[in-house]
């Protein structure tokens, strides 16, 4: 899976450079998030501006990351959700779980 | 009257790397149905999603030790509805036994069938001797 990671102030930003987050690649994201928390990172932001499709496996990988954040006393925020992707969060009520921001810059400032 | 039905018979290897190919077919179908008056972008996403979820299930429930298995998908686009059938030759499951997700609990899994049921007008899973089939219908109104 094509991910790029950058540090902006105290936030570690994971950019998903893929159009799809599905059962084929979501475990890569899950493992990367886990690795970052285990390496001592606390505040993660997943920016999804390139992601135009997410399935239940992709949502599951994000939920797994959220639980990882909680157990590591960290945070996991999301940014730049495309409208159809956002509708999947609403359908599964996950928009009430995650802090979702319009852009990575907004999330970092928060 | 012009026949505008479309019939697609798809066989792809039993591997998740083909999910995007099958999902894209769903999107392209939605874009072809010019008689559909609803939000075509949403229909495209929904067909992509249900095909992706159903194929993931078929891969999961199929005999995984047989890596040369195929997933067989039939798509029929009629005047008033899209019918999708996905066959698997695994042990199968009872779709009515799968509970809706508990929104208060944060589980990693268990949203796939919920999404399919939420987005399609009818969903049934039929176990047959020669294989199981997940049948989904989306009305085009």
């Amino acid at each position: 899976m094509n991910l790029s990671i950058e540090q902006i102030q105290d936030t570690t930003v994971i950019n998903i450079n893929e159009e799809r987050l599905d059962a084929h690649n979501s475990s890569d994201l899950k493992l990367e998030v886990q690795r970052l928390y285990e390496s001592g990172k606390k505040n993660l932001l997943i920016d999804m501006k390139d992601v135009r499709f997410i399935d239940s496996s992709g949502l599951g990988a994000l939920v797994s990351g959220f639980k990882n954040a909680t157990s590591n006393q960290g945070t996991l925020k999301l940014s730049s959700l495309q409208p159809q992707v956002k509708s999947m969060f609403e359908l599964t009520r996950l928009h009430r779980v995650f802090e979702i921001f319009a852009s990575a810059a907004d999330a970092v400032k928060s | 009257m012009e026949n505008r039905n479309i019939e697609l018979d798809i066989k792809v290897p039993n591997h998740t790397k083909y999910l995007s190919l099958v999902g894209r077919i769903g999107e392209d179908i939605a874009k072809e149905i010019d008689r559909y008056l609803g939000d075509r972008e949403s229909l495209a996403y929904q067909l992509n999603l249900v095909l992706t979820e159903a194929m993931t299930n078929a891969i999961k429930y199929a005999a995984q030790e047989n890596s040369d298995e195929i997933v067989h998908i039939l798509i029929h686009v009629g005047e008033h509805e899209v019918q999708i059938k996905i066959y698997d030759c695994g042990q199968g499951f009872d779709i009515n036994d799968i509970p809706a997700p508990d929104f208060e609990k944060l589980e990693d899994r268990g949203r796939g069938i919920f999404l399919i049921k939420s987005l399609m007008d009818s969903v049934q899973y039929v176990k047959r001797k020669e294989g199981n089939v997940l049948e989904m219908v989306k009305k085009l109104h």
Side-chain angles (χ1 to χ4, degrees):
Chain A
M1 178 180 215
N2 189 348
L3 301 171
S4 57
I5 295 163
E6 57 184 325
Q7 191 70 31
I8 303 178
Q9 297 158 28
D10 64 346
T11 303
T12 306
V13 184
I14 304 172
N15 296 291
I16 302 178
N17 305 316
E18 300 274 355
E19 279 198 357
R20 287 174 64 97
L21 184 54
D22 65 15
H24 183 57
N25 58 12
S26 56
S27 58
D28 293 349
L29 176 66
K30 185 172 162 176
L31 290 174
E32 184 61 19
V33 169
Q34 192 177 343
R35 188 188 69 78
L36 287 166
Y37 283 121
E38 283 170 0
S39 73
K41 302 290 186 193
K42 288 288 178 203
N43 302 312
L44 263 55
L45 166 65
I46 299 179
D47 188 78
M48 299 177 63
K49 65 176 175 300
D50 292 341
V51 178
R52 62 177 197 88
F53 177 87
I54 190 166
D55 72 354
S56 64
S57 303
L59 293 170
L62 296 173
V63 168
S64 164
F66 184 85
K67 291 196 288 191
N68 240 311
T70 309
S71 59
N72 286 284
Q73 289 82 48
T75 60
L76 177 68
K77 296 173 183 172
L78 305 178
S79 60
S80 316
L81 270 58
Q82 296 192 20
Q84 301 281 5
V85 169
K86 195 166 187 194
S87 72
M88 290 300 107
F89 280 78
E90 288 162 358
L91 192 55
T92 54
R93 319 289 197 273
L94 288 173
H95 63 302
R96 300 193 302 214
V97 172
F98 289 95
E99 277 191 274
I100 298 173
F101 295 86
S103 68
D106 284 353
V108 170
K109 271 190 284 182
S110 68
Chain B
M1 190 178 149
E2 183 195 0
N3 181 356
R4 295 190 291 180
N5 290 356
I6 300 171
E7 198 87 50
L8 295 174
D9 189 337
I10 303 161
K11 288 175 181 162
V12 285
N14 179 25
H15 194 284
T16 54
K17 76 175 177 185
Y18 298 102
L19 289 173
S20 68
L21 171 68
V22 170
R24 273 202 310 273
I25 292 171
E27 285 196 332
D28 287 347
I29 286 171
K31 287 167 190 166
E32 285 298 320
I33 308 172
D34 47 13
R35 59 190 173 278
Y36 183 64
L37 299 175
D39 178 350
R40 216 178 297 187
E41 285 298 316
S42 291
L43 180 67
Y45 192 98
Q46 290 168 5
L47 294 182
N48 185 348
L49 185 70
V50 298
L51 281 163
T52 299
E53 297 290 351
M55 181 167 160
T56 302
N57 269 342
I59 292 168
K60 200 174 5 171
Y61 289 104
Q64 286 177 336
E65 64 271 21
N66 294 330
S67 57
D68 57 349
E69 286 283 350
I70 55 142
V71 177
H72 183 197
I73 302 163
L74 278 178
I75 305 174
H76 173 83
V77 185
E79 191 63 28
H80 302 293
E81 60 185 29
V82 179
Q83 294 175 336
I84 299 172
K85 294 182 182 179
I86 304 214
Y87 297 84
D88 75 77
C89 43
Q91 290 191 327
F93 60 96
D94 187 338
I95 201 162
N96 298 315
D97 279 353
I98 297 176
D102 181 342
F103 295 118
E104 301 309 314
K105 278 191 191 164
L106 272 182
E107 301 286 353
D108 297 6
R109 303 162 66 89
R111 295 179 181 86
I113 294 292
F114 167 77
L115 288 174
I116 290 175
K117 284 181 174 173
S118 301
L119 299 176
M120 300 302 272
D121 291 292
S122 84
V123 182
Q124 56 174 335
Y125 188 80
V126 185
K127 289 190 198 180
R128 295 197 183 120
K129 257 191 220 156
E130 64 274 19
N132 313 305
V133 56
L134 178 65
E135 299 182 1
M136 310 180 280
V137 175
K138 180 79 180 175
K139 293 197 171 126
L140 298 173
H141 46 62

